[in-house]
Amino acid sequence: MDVKTKSLSKVLSVAQEAALEAGKMLLSHLRTDFRVSKKGRIDLVTEMDLKAEKIIVDRIRLDFPDHEILAEEGGKQTGSGPCRWIVDPLDGTTNYANGYRFFCVSIAVEWEGQLSLGVVYDPVTEELFVARKGEGATLNGQPIQVSIEDQLVDSLLCTGFSYDQTEIEKNLELFDRIIFHSRALRRDGSAALDLCYVACGRFDGFWELSLNCWDIAAGRLMVEEAGGRVTAFDGSPCTIYDPELLATNGKIHSKLMKLMKS
Ligand code: IPD
Ligand code: CA
Ligand code: CA
């Protein structure tokens, strides 16, 4: 086993442990009386976002004291070596704050700038999604694949609305156009989990306009490793640091792109 493979396998087990620990903590405090504050007009952060992030960062630091970590609430902690951790301790904060059971923990790792691992844990359903670059994606240990649906009219799609008013207006135009061409269109409120649902074939496609890398890093790898396609809305390549993303099973990708353009 080469150094990279060996290191990443240790990194993956730490990522899984951290996601499970944080996720279980989140579930145990769901619908309890935790503090909620506002980062913006409609952008919330709860006491549990911070607590979950601390659990994850402490767990990473136990084994990897010098790795770089980019976490939503705490920002960037510089480090040395090839790994960068990208952490969303609670994706779906609005849902969580309202006791709506659709949220997750999302952890991804880049190795020398290449997205290499993704772990997403939904503590409500006890579903653990794992993706390894070049090695596929799994759900609770079983390989997953995107759907085979190739007709938009028979597709179940999902989108998300950012906290930015202008972006909401732009996405309403897309929503309005696309809903009439699909079977149904959801807005579930956790981009990381939405992407995992594309990866395992529950959704046929997902898009959003204004995302951060911690929202999508793990989920994006999940879709790609499950055989799907991820691009910008016009089909051009995008990275996890670009705000917009279109993720599908691949078969409806160009049809959805065309609709978005029209
Ligand atoms: C949000 C969720 C939501 C998406 C927003 C994200 P947060 O993340 O993923 O589904 O629409 O754009 O910011 O704030 O719950 O971690
Ligand atoms: Ca998020
Ligand atoms: Ca979050």
Side-chain angles (χ1 to χ4, degrees):
M1 216 190 275
D2 63 21
V3 177
K4 179 177 171 186
T5 314
K6 209 170 155 192
S7 308
L8 280 178
S9 109
K10 174 70 187 161
V11 165
L12 177 59
S13 74
V14 169
Q16 292 184 85
E17 269 178 41
L20 289 169
E21 199 187 327
K24 285 182 177 144
M25 183 285 293
L26 287 170
L27 185 61
S28 72
H29 289 86
L30 184 67
R31 298 175 179 162
T32 62
D33 193 17
F34 48 80
R35 273 193 307 280
V36 182
S37 28
K38 286 186 169 183
K39 294 201 265 189
R41 195 176 69 86
I42 54 167
D43 190 359
L44 305 179
V45 58
T46 74
E47 189 185 342
M48 297 308 153
D49 290 71
L50 304 173
K51 204 168 167 180
E53 187 165 302
K54 184 166 177 350
I55 289 172
I56 297 163
V57 172
D58 286 353
R59 181 62 196 87
I60 297 169
R61 286 279 168 253
L62 206 59
D63 277 87
F64 308 110
D66 58 346
H67 281 189
E68 182 178 324
I69 302 176
L70 180 57
E72 179 177 9
E73 310 305 339
K76 187 166 152 181
Q77 297 182 16
T78 46
S80 58
C83 284
R84 163 186 267 199
W85 294 73
I86 302 167
V87 177
D88 192 337
L90 168 50
D91 187 56
T93 295
T94 307
N95 287 346
Y96 188 83
N98 287 274
Y100 180 70
R101 290 154 57 94
F102 195 80
F103 59 88
C104 66
V105 177
S106 173
I107 302 175
V109 177
E110 286 182 331
W111 176 278
E112 289 174 347
Q114 186 187 51
L115 192 54
S116 300
L117 295 176
V119 171
V120 172
Y121 180 56
D122 174 350
V124 173
T125 56
E126 294 185 0
E127 289 185 319
L128 179 71
F129 295 86
V130 173
R132 268 172 284 205
K133 179 78 186 162
E135 288 176 49
T138 56
L139 165 51
N140 290 346
Q142 298 304 310
I144 50 172
Q145 280 184 329
V146 291
S147 71
I148 54 166
E149 185 54 62
D150 61 1
Q151 297 302 312
L152 263 187
V153 70
D154 295 320
S155 292
L156 178 59
L157 304 176
C158 184
T159 185
F161 289 89
S162 80
Y163 301 114
D164 177 333
Q165 194 73 36
T166 329
E167 300 292 319
I168 292 176
E169 277 164 22
K170 271 196 225 161
N171 202 26
L172 276 175
E173 281 170 35
L174 291 175
F175 193 100
D176 193 31
R177 200 178 312 152
I178 293 167
I179 194 166
F180 294 109
H181 292 267
S182 63
R183 174 176 291 164
L185 181 44
R186 303 281 179 254
R187 191 276 203 235
D188 263 348
S190 167
L193 216 42
D194 295 336
L195 286 165
C196 289
Y197 278 29
V198 174
C200 70
R202 293 174 191 161
F203 290 146
D204 304 298
F206 167 81
W207 79 89
E208 194 168 332
L209 272 139
S210 191
L211 292 154
N212 288 296
C213 59
W214 46 77
D215 300 315
I216 51 172
R220 176 194 170 124
L221 190 61
M222 221 66 72
V223 172
E224 289 173 332
E225 288 300 318
R229 187 171 168 205
V230 180
T231 66
F233 291 177
D234 64 0
S236 60
C238 64
T239 76
I240 55 167
Y241 301 101
D242 295 314
E244 74 176 38
L245 159 148
L246 171 63
T248 73
N249 63 5
K251 302 191 177 53
I252 58 163
H253 207 88
S254 52
K255 291 170 188 153
L256 209 45
M257 267 165 51
K258 235 184 255 166
L259 252 185
M260 288 176 139
K261 248 192 271 168
S262 57

